[in-house]
Amino acid sequence: MDCEPPTYLSYFSMIASMCLSCITIAGNLFVLLAVYQDPYKELRKPFTVLIANLALADLTAGAITEPMAVYFTYQEVQGSVVNDLAVNITHLSYFMSCTTSVLTLSVLAIDRYLAISYSLWYKCHVTLSCTIKICMALWIMSVLLSLTYIKTGYINFAFVFANTAVLSTACVLVFAYYRIFKSLRIRTIQVGVLHEGRSQRCERQKSLLLESKLTKLYLMMLGIFLLCFVPSCLFIYVLYCCSLCDCYVIHWLRDISFLLVLSNSSLNPILYSLQLKSFRRVYKSMCKCWKKNRVRAVMGQGT
């Protein structure tokens, strides 16, 4: 770019990145610890493993991308030339976490579709080990795809990313939503019509209620994804196509697009806490354990 960004924009981006980093790291660490340390074994399911994979991608953004963005914008405020290595680390971690996030959201959509539409097949074939292998494959794909940024540059890669990963994910999510909604309606009608014993009907209703809650969480994640990524993609289109845009406008679009995508990483953990009772139970259990350990440590120091 031919001109430096305005100082107030650099300060705004630096403070926003700092706040997002703190929220993202704390929230996603809680999610990962909850899945790992779950004493009730309620979170050891394929769906929550995918949630943990999404949290790991978001944690990458919070622990690497956002602190590097703070350094990047601080250097802009100081008028210093930003090291190419720092720029590459910022952008690579950004694209890697974003790619993993959108791919994981696609797999979550497929997971919900299979769980609702083919529940018996899902219970028999979709296992924890299978889900973990899928998560590992997603990370490998994300790393390989993100490395192409080095040759294409930020704006070109962001444009390709918006037209491939984000657009294809949005299509998968919308299609999955339609199919899930249709399958849920059919299953709800079946529960009411089938002539089963009371215990069997209660079991079916309980299972359907759980799947409905998980699907509601997924739909809220879809809403936040679209809310953050769609405006960001529109800004990327402008950055790529507008050759006559003012330099300051380009800086604004670049920073807002960047912050919008990163804000998605900080909002997801809040959703899990609000929507899933199993996560809240584990959080309470973890807090109680930490308090007990702290009391024991204090008492041990006193003696």
Side-chain angles (χ1 to χ4, degrees):
M1 295 182 199
D2 297 329
C3 64
E4 293 297 320
T7 304
Y8 62 86
L9 175 60
S10 295
Y11 274 118
F12 168 76
S13 299
M14 182 173 66
I15 294 167
S17 297
M18 202 179 298
C19 293
L20 284 173
S21 180
C22 294
I23 297 168
T24 304
I25 290 172
N28 288 290
L29 265 179
F30 260 100
V31 172
L32 290 170
L33 285 171
V35 174
Y36 179 73
Q37 295 185 344
D38 177 22
Y40 308 106
K41 308 299 180 186
E42 293 178 345
L43 301 179
R44 304 291 173 85
K45 298 175 183 177
F47 179 80
T48 42
V49 168
L50 290 170
I51 290 289
N53 192 59
L54 185 61
L56 184 60
D58 292 339
L59 183 62
T60 303
I64 301 175
T65 309
E66 288 163 356
M68 290 302 297
V70 172
Y71 167 76
F72 188 87
T73 47
Y74 176 75
Q75 292 294 99
E76 285 184 340
V77 170
Q78 298 298 313
S80 305
V81 177
V82 182
N83 189 298
D84 287 341
L85 179 62
V87 175
N88 286 333
I89 290 172
T90 305
H91 291 159
L92 275 173
S93 60
Y94 171 71
F95 286 123
M96 190 173 68
S97 63
C98 287
T99 305
T100 307
S101 292
V102 295
L103 290 176
T104 304
L105 282 169
S106 295
V107 176
L108 273 167
I110 296 167
D111 174 88
R112 288 297 83 214
Y113 170 64
L114 293 174
I116 298 293
S117 302
Y118 305 98
S119 55
L120 292 176
W121 182 93
Y122 179 84
K123 288 175 182 176
C124 294
H125 293 86
V126 181
T127 60
L128 278 178
S129 59
C130 175
T131 310
I132 290 168
K133 288 175 184 176
I134 290 171
C135 292
M136 291 171 66
L138 293 181
W139 277 98
I140 293 169
M141 287 174 61
S142 300
V143 171
L144 293 176
L145 288 170
S146 300
L147 286 174
T148 58
Y149 147 78
I150 295 171
K151 287 190 175 182
T152 60
Y154 177 79
I155 293 177
N156 288 331
F157 187 87
F159 183 75
V160 173
F161 178 78
N163 282 281
T164 53
V166 176
L167 187 61
S168 58
T169 298
C171 292
V172 169
L173 294 177
V174 171
F175 173 75
Y177 168 72
Y178 168 74
R179 297 294 301 176
I180 289 166
F181 180 73
K182 194 173 179 180
S183 297
L184 274 175
R185 283 189 65 187
I186 293 170
R187 283 187 63 185
T188 304
I189 293 168
Q190 286 176 344
V191 169
V193 171
L194 289 174
H195 300 289
E196 296 177 321
R198 187 173 181 181
S199 60
Q200 288 179 309
R201 183 173 291 187
C202 288
E203 193 65 31
R204 276 181 176 269
Q205 287 176 336
K206 189 177 178 181
S207 175
L208 184 60
L209 182 62
L210 175 61
E211 296 298 346
S212 299
K213 282 184 177 179
L214 293 179
T215 303
K216 184 181 177 183
L217 170 64
Y218 150 72
L219 291 176
M220 292 183 74
M221 287 164 58
L222 166 61
I224 289 178
F225 168 79
L226 294 174
L227 191 65
C228 293
F229 275 82
V230 170
S232 178
C233 287
L234 291 175
F235 294 156
I236 288 168
Y237 277 114
V238 175
L239 283 170
Y240 186 81
C241 300
C242 185
S243 57
L244 301 175
C245 287
D246 182 78
C247 187
Y248 290 109
V249 173
I250 291 174
H251 277 292
W252 267 102
L253 291 176
R254 181 202 67 178
D255 285 17
I256 298 300
S257 170
F258 187 76
L259 291 171
L260 270 173
V261 172
L262 292 178
S263 63
N264 184 68
S265 300
S266 62
L267 292 172
N268 282 330
I270 298 170
L271 267 185
Y272 314 147
S273 304
L274 292 175
Q275 292 299 314
L276 293 182
K277 189 177 179 180
S278 52
F279 267 101
R280 293 197 297 272
R281 282 185 67 191
V282 176
Y283 289 158
K284 288 177 183 177
S285 175
M286 287 166 58
C287 290
K288 286 178 182 177
C289 286
W290 290 341
K291 284 181 180 178
K292 286 180 182 178
N293 291 334
R294 191 175 177 183
V295 170
R296 286 173 186 172
V298 171
M299 290 176 68
Q301 288 177 359
T303 55

